[in-house]
Amino acid sequence: MPQSTSLPLAQIAQLLGVPEDSLRALITARGGSQGDGTLVGLTVAEAARRMGIGRTTLYKYLSSGEIPSAKVGRLRRIPVEAVNDFLQRRLSRKGFGTAA
């Protein structure tokens, strides 16, 4: 499996309390339904699906500048790295994982 600039898989596995190999196997098994993993520019729908949020919420983050994007013709594209960076910032916030 090629390395990407996504969140560190070992860290995600540790946070979830599962073996890294098991998480990699799950990702590989589900890979067919997630589309092309080599894409560098995601549509709004693809980015929202990867993040597990709605398109409206994602547009809020795009409008505020929390997640950068670029227009290509009439289409908006979101760099995969921007999604990963946003999620990493959210994970590293103080108080992550505590109930409200």
Side-chain angles (χ1 to χ4, degrees):
M1 189 171 182
Q3 292 291 329
S4 66
T5 57
S6 62
L7 297 172
L9 199 56
Q11 181 182 2
I12 294 169
Q14 182 180 15
L15 287 170
L16 293 172
V18 298
E20 185 177 346
D21 293 341
S22 297
L23 185 57
R24 284 189 190 280
L26 178 63
I27 291 169
T28 301
R30 295 187 54 120
S33 64
Q34 297 298 317
D36 184 355
T38 63
L39 293 175
V40 294
L42 305 170
T43 66
V44 171
E46 290 167 338
R49 185 174 55 246
R50 284 185 180 211
M51 295 173 69
I53 62 174
R55 288 182 353 180
T56 304
T57 302
L58 181 56
Y59 274 115
K60 180 182 82 169
Y61 292 134
L62 295 173
S63 296
S64 71
E66 287 188 71
I67 300 176
S69 66
K71 283 213 77 167
V72 179
R74 292 180 10 205
L75 305 173
R76 178 143 319 266
R77 292 292 184 243
I78 302 154
V80 172
E81 295 83 14
V83 171
N84 294 336
D85 291 343
F86 174 80
L87 292 173
Q88 186 65 47
R89 284 192 311 271
R90 289 292 174 123
L91 281 173
S92 64
R93 279 188 176 175
K94 187 175 183 176
F96 172 76
T98 60

